[in-house]
């Protein structure tokens, strides 16, 4: 069923956007042919967040679109306060649509006396009044289990697959995981485009020595595609690209879902040997990203828009995983 042909089911669909990624929210609204609900999210003089829903949402099926990206705590608080405002305004159901779920890298206790912040954030979202969660490429799939409400974790792989097939010669490609932990994600994309798989294994032989990049797989003469869920500082990706080229790779590109790109990451990518870094708009691109010559942004608005439409009308979302 086309997005524009859908009725309102048992309750009217309402889309509410926070301030984290207004452009993505507007693209989703365009896809669904549903205008964004009027909502004021502003700050008091002491930077407290104040929210006012400026339309009737009583009995509505409301989707709050808000990535918890930088500044993470501000955007998380916006999400919680918007959710509380909707609950107190008698919304029938509230779905937190979180394209990028901040704190996802704190999904376990790495050492003693440390938090599992991803679980804490899941609890906050649930207790604020969310009835379900829709997110994209969680850093660790088990985070779905941190929520005590239904949680759909979409994958950007179908969007990346279409982009790769439209732009490249598939018989010369090799998909590469930049570390051992990302092998499952890389293998899934390799299977989709029928390409071989390689792995970059980084290890430190002795304390105080620099990391050695070992490439598992024959990349000679191949166009290598590095695949991962998050790029933050960009150091691992840049080093992996150099290691692949040293071992005879013809070319290196990277497809990453969430472009966190903190600190000097954009400059690091711009001056690297990567032919291109492709990221999604799960996090609103900065001006530096927009003007970078070798960074390109592809939109996940149709994917999330379709998932919202199907969720609202109790249709299957699992087919979108394919």
């Amino acid at each position: 069923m086309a997005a524009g042909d859908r009725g309102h089911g048992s309750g009217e669909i309402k889309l509410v956007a926070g301030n984290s990624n207004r452009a993505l929210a507007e693209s989703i609204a365009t896809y669904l042919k549903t205008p964004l609900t009027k909502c004021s999210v502003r700050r008091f003089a002491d930077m407290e967040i104040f929210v006012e829903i400026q339309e009737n949402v009583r009995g509505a099926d409301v989707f709050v679109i808000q990535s918890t990206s930088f500044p993470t705590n501000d955007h998380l608080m916006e999400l919680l306060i918007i959710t509380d405002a909707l609950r107190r305004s008698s919304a029938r159901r509230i779905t937190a649509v979180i394209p990028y779920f901040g704190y996802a890298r704190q999904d376990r206790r790495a050492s003693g006396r440390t938090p599992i912040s991803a679980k804490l954030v899941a609890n906050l979202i649930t207790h604020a009044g969310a009835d379900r969660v829709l997110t994209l490429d969680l850093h660790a799939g088990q985070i779905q289990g941190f929520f005590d409400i239904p949680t759909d974790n979409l994958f950007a792989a179908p969007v990346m697959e279409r982009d790769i097939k439209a732009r490249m010669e598939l018989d010369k490609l090799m998909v590469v995981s930049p570390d051992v932990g990302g092998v499952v994600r890389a293998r899934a994309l390799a299977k989709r485009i029928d390409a071989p798989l390689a792995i970059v294994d980084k290890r430190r032989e002795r304390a105080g020595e620099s990391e050695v990049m070992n490439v598992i797989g024959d990349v000679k003469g191949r166009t290598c595609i590095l695949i991962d869920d998050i790029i933050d500082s960009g150091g691992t990706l840049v080093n992996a690209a150099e290691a692949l080229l040293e071992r005879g790779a013809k070319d290196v590109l990277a497809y990453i879902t969430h472009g966190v790109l903190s600190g000097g990451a954009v400059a690091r990518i711009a001056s690297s040997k990567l032919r291109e870094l492709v990221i999604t708009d799960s996090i609103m691109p900065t001006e530096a990203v927009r003007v970078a010559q070798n960074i390109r942004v592809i939109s996940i608005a149709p994917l999330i828009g379709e998932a919202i439409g199907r969720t609202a009308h109790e249709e299957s979302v699992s087919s979108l995983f394919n």
Side-chain angles (χ1 to χ4, degrees):
M1 186 185 294
D5 296 335
R6 291 190 171 99
H8 289 307
S10 56
E12 187 180 2
I13 299 174
K14 295 277 190 179
L15 303 176
V16 176
N19 289 323
S20 72
N21 197 338
R22 184 82 184 187
L24 175 61
E26 288 172 352
S27 295
I28 292 169
T30 299
Y31 178 85
L32 288 168
K33 299 180 182 176
T34 302
L36 292 174
T37 296
K38 291 177 183 173
C39 172
S40 173
V41 183
R42 58 185 189 271
R43 301 286 193 277
F44 289 128
D46 63 354
M47 299 309 289
E48 277 188 14
I49 296 164
F50 176 73
V51 170
E52 183 181 7
I53 309 298
Q54 297 171 321
E55 291 182 26
N56 178 25
V57 294
R58 184 179 295 273
D61 195 1
V62 186
F63 295 82
V64 184
I65 303 164
Q66 177 83 333
S67 282
T68 49
S69 50
F70 177 85
T72 305
N73 297 334
D74 284 4
H75 289 152
L76 175 60
M77 281 304 298
E78 279 187 17
L79 174 62
L80 299 176
I81 293 170
I82 291 170
T83 302
D84 185 72
L86 290 166
R87 182 172 59 86
R88 295 176 188 278
S89 302
S90 301
R92 181 176 61 85
R93 182 172 67 173
I94 303 166
T95 301
V97 180
I98 313 171
Y100 171 67
F101 182 77
Y103 286 103
R105 285 175 282 183
Q106 297 185 49
D107 63 320
R108 64 191 182 280
R109 297 187 72 187
S111 60
R113 296 180 295 282
T114 57
I116 303 179
S117 302
K119 171 58 177 167
L120 172 61
V121 171
N123 289 344
L124 290 170
I125 292 168
T126 303
H127 287 293
D131 296 295
R132 62 184 305 130
V133 169
L134 180 64
T135 187
L136 177 73
D137 274 344
L138 283 171
H139 184 63
Q142 64 266 26
I143 293 172
Q144 289 177 86
F146 291 0
F147 288 92
D148 295 323
I149 53 178
T151 302
D152 289 311
N153 179 31
L154 301 174
F155 301 112
V159 179
M160 294 177 177
E161 176 192 358
R162 282 195 297 273
D163 192 78
I164 290 168
K165 286 181 174 177
R167 289 171 171 266
M168 300 183 201
E169 296 179 51
L170 299 184
D171 59 335
K172 297 178 181 177
L173 294 184
M174 177 170 261
V175 174
V176 183
S177 174
D179 53 43
V180 175
V183 171
V184 173
R185 183 179 294 104
R187 187 188 293 123
L189 180 66
K191 187 176 179 181
R192 299 180 80 100
I193 63 174
D194 194 24
L197 176 67
I199 304 163
V200 176
D201 176 32
K202 57 181 180 180
R203 62 184 68 183
R204 203 181 300 274
E205 300 295 338
R206 296 180 189 82
E209 290 187 3
S210 61
E211 289 179 330
V212 177
M213 295 281 189
N214 297 310
V215 178
I216 303 168
D218 184 9
V219 299
K220 193 170 183 180
R222 296 274 190 173
T223 295
C224 292
I225 297 178
L226 287 157
I227 179 82
D228 212 345
D229 64 319
I230 295 173
I231 176 169
D232 192 343
S233 68
T236 297
L237 210 64
V238 167
N239 292 340
E242 289 180 357
L244 291 167
L245 290 167
E246 284 171 6
R247 284 157 181 80
K250 177 186 172 188
D251 216 356
V252 183
L253 302 89
Y255 277 74
I256 314 289
T257 305
H258 307 298
V260 175
L261 296 169
S262 56
V266 174
R268 193 171 291 116
I269 295 297
S271 61
S272 75
K273 295 178 180 177
L274 274 171
R275 169 154 65 98
E276 188 176 48
L277 166 64
V278 181
I279 57 176
T280 78
D281 54 356
S282 64
I283 297 172
M284 188 163 68
T286 62
E287 184 59 27
V289 168
R290 283 192 286 267
V291 301
Q293 294 294 314
N294 62 342
I295 301 178
R296 183 164 57 87
V297 181
I298 56 177
S299 183
I300 41 92
L303 176 69
I304 293 181
E306 187 63 26
I308 288 172
R310 293 187 183 194
T311 299
H313 295 87
E314 309 299 344
E315 298 169 4
S316 173
V317 173
S318 61
S319 61
L320 294 177
F321 299 161
N322 299 318

